[in-house]
Amino acid sequence: MTQNEPSRLRGLLLVAGREIRVRGLSKSNVISLIVTVVIVGVLAALPTLIGGNSEDEKIGLAGDTAPAMQAQLEAMGGFDITMYDSADEAEKAVEDETVDAAVADGSLYSRDGVGNEVEAKIDAAWQAASVQTNLADAGLSDQQIADALTVQPLEWVTLESEGGVGSTLDYFTGLIISIIMFMMLMTPVQYIAMGVVEEKSSRIVEILLTSLKPWQLLGGKVIGLGVISLVNLVAMVAVGLGVSAATGMLDDLPAGTASAAVSTIGWWLIAFALFGTLAGGVGSLVSRQEESGSVLTPLIMSLTLSYLGAIFLLNAPTSTFAEVLSIVPPFSGIAMPTRMAITDVPAWQIGLSGVLLALAAAGALALGSQLYKRSVLYTGSRMKISEALRRAA
Amino acid sequence: MLEIKDLHKRFGDTVALDGVSLSAAPGEVVGFVGANGAGKTTTMRIAMGVLAADSGQIVYNGAPLGVEQRRRFGYMPSERGLYPKMKTGEQVAYFGELHGMTKAEAKRSAAELLEQLNLTDRMGDFVQDLSLGNQQRVQLAVSLVHDPEVLILDEPFSGLDPIAVDVMGNALRDRAAAGAPVIFSSHQLDLIERLCDSVSIIGNGRIIASGSVDELKAKEVKQLRISVDADEDLTAKFTGTVTRDGDDYLIEDGDDQEALRIAAAAGRVTRFAYDQPTIAEIFREAVTR
């Protein structure tokens, strides 16, 4: 038997490994992961499924403006263009359903109108093509026409310095981040408490503590369930992004999505350290699974409040309430990444919030492990926190 | 050599241990006997480091016992515990690894032990699906999987079926033969008598009697028992206090050599020995004193 290895780390990793094997690879977890992944995949594919306009719009063109129109429409993409020699032929093609619509001699032919989006595009193409044709008729060279048509896009100046919600897509990004943060904290927190009570109620903790320190046992459990949650999170993100990429939606996501995802993982890690160790600490106060709900209530309440606060914050990201909520721990764990997704947050607020949350997590780590150390071997009725802290370790 | 020295422990107003000392030499099997609530479990939990003493210390091979050494001990707590939703083989091996074995060593050792315990075909089952008796065997495997240097077992025989009792008894003797100190508590005094080299009896948090089994028995020796094939009644001839137990003569405070001569002269002596008390009698005597 080799005894000289760094046993402290090994003990921690053994405990974490057991959690991952037994809980992460359990049937229930694998099934719930598959179900979640399928739901995420379907949600990601939904815009494409509902939109259904993956097929190009068939457009017939005829008349003087036809070449210019063709150039404009091809530049926009999404059109299958057929050129006709005359307006009559184009009209006939619409009647025969060879094309969906046709533009000829200043008229738009269709069977029963065209969709809003198609109409807008054709309208824009028509105006640009008309201007181009008119300018050419006026005797300008192609270069002159090109110069005249080059337009600088509008520069946006927002007078409300911190801005409101950028766009609907940002709003949904924020909403999804708050939901995922909530789920990714709630589930492992309950599992940690359940695991602690399981070891306590089955008395196995007494054998474990002859070869492990309490911090290894608690730390390993928190790390193990953290890894399981991270894997679930990564699987969801990978499937979501993969399906988006496959359906061509990926390009439409806001530019900051990737960085938002990364910073969310950072916030999650700190918040999880906070809630996870506290869950272990309060879990050790009771000896039976039925009692674990009562000691977990304060944690679940503050998680739920954080979530509800983040949802409220989505509609008023610049309010004082939103600022306070996203700085004060433990609410900041969910509120700050949500707020960051929908609006620009001053760097000092992000920094302050991060430091405060990390401090709170360090405090929770100390409190949780002390509670755990002092009460994990105590069996009987539920222990009060004050009583646990008074006890000698 | 494992020495438990002068342990004191209070739970609130209750004095659980009041100066308990106990020791087990290499190769020695020590039986730890006492009524419920006498302090056996508390003593063992302190020895295993799951409970802190108010004062006193645990010394192993001349130095205070440390965490690393304690990991090489085998422990069975009185309250049995296993992970219900973990596979049997995996669970036993996990405890081997926790005690410092490599993954391969732990796996091999777990498989060997479970085979000895007739549990090989249950290795892939969840512990919660085993019968209570089989769970007890798994518990035994958990305490022995890492080939422990010292064994501290709280009621290891309670709830075991006869086969498991034999396996457990053999395991204790094997470990002792290999030089390990073994301390176990039990209410089954016949097992203590059969397995132990020495016995410590605890009552109300104090050791009230201890010593080798022979010493204890000698201390408590009662009377000389003589059986003789003789027609005449020898009661009057023997010196000392003589009583009859069936056909036997029981002599206290007499001269045993003279009694032997008298008996041999009267007829064939079929029995001549001092009655020895059983451990059970010694125990009863000690606790009622």
Side-chain angles (χ1 to χ4, degrees), chain A residues 278-333:
Chain A
L278 276 185
V282 298
S284 68
L285 295 175
V286 297
S287 306
R288 287 177 303 146
Q289 212 64 262
E290 306 91 89
E291 296 172 321
S292 63
S294 63
V295 287
L296 269 182
T297 305
L299 280 186
I300 292 187
M301 282 294 286
S302 56
L303 265 176
T304 309
L305 283 179
S306 308
Y307 171 65
L308 293 178
I311 297 294
F312 180 79
L313 175 156
L314 282 172
N315 296 307
T318 54
S319 62
T320 314
F321 171 78
E323 289 187 357
V324 171
L325 196 74
S326 62
I327 289 175
V328 176
F331 310 108
S332 52

Side-chain angles (χ1 to χ4, degrees), chain A residues 105-317:
Chain A
D105 293 342
S107 302
L108 173 62
Y109 298 91
S110 70
R111 283 184 293 283
D112 55 353
V114 293
N116 285 340
E117 197 187 348
V118 175
E119 186 191 335
K121 280 181 171 177
I122 291 179
D123 216 30
W126 171 251
Q127 290 191 12
S130 300
V131 170
Q132 214 174 335
T133 313
N134 291 345
L135 289 175
D137 289 348
L140 268 66
S141 69
D142 284 353
Q143 183 59 46
Q144 284 171 313
I145 294 171
D147 287 349
L149 289 179
T150 308
V151 181
Q152 277 301 113
L154 275 180
E155 188 186 345
W156 286 38
V157 180
T158 315
L159 293 181
E160 292 271 337
S161 61
E162 287 169 30
V165 177
S167 71
T168 320
L169 211 49
D170 286 348
Y171 180 89
F172 277 107
T173 310
L175 184 65
I176 287 171
I177 285 180
S178 61
I179 292 175
I180 287 182
M181 283 291 282
F182 179 61
M183 276 172 47
M184 287 286 129
L185 289 172
M186 191 65 124
T187 311
V189 154
Q190 285 175 316
Y191 271 129
I192 289 171
M194 272 170 54
V196 168
V197 179
E198 182 196 33
E199 280 169 3
K200 221 185 141 173
S201 64
S202 73
R203 314 293 165 95
I204 199 168
V205 68
E206 197 170 327
I207 310 178
L208 292 169
L209 286 182
T210 62
S211 47
L212 289 168
K213 290 276 184 192
W215 69 264
Q216 289 174 313
L217 199 48
L218 179 60
K221 200 172 281 301
V222 171
I223 291 172
L225 281 159
V227 169
I228 296 172
S229 303
L230 255 187
V231 168
N232 287 1
L233 182 60
V234 167
M236 273 189 243
V237 170
V239 167
L241 291 182
V243 171
S244 300
T247 56
M249 273 286 292
L250 199 54
D251 299 337
D252 295 340
L253 290 177
T257 304
S259 64
V262 171
S263 85
T264 299
I265 289 176
W267 289 101
W268 178 81
L269 281 175
I270 310 178
F272 178 67
L274 193 162
F275 284 105
T277 44
L278 276 185
V282 298
S284 68
L285 295 175
V286 297
S287 306
R288 287 177 303 146
Q289 212 64 262
E290 306 91 89
E291 296 172 321
S292 63
S294 63
V295 287
L296 269 182
T297 305
L299 280 186
I300 292 187
M301 282 294 286
S302 56
L303 265 176
T304 309
L305 283 179
S306 308
Y307 171 65
L308 293 178
I311 297 294
F312 180 79
L313 175 156
L314 282 172
N315 296 307

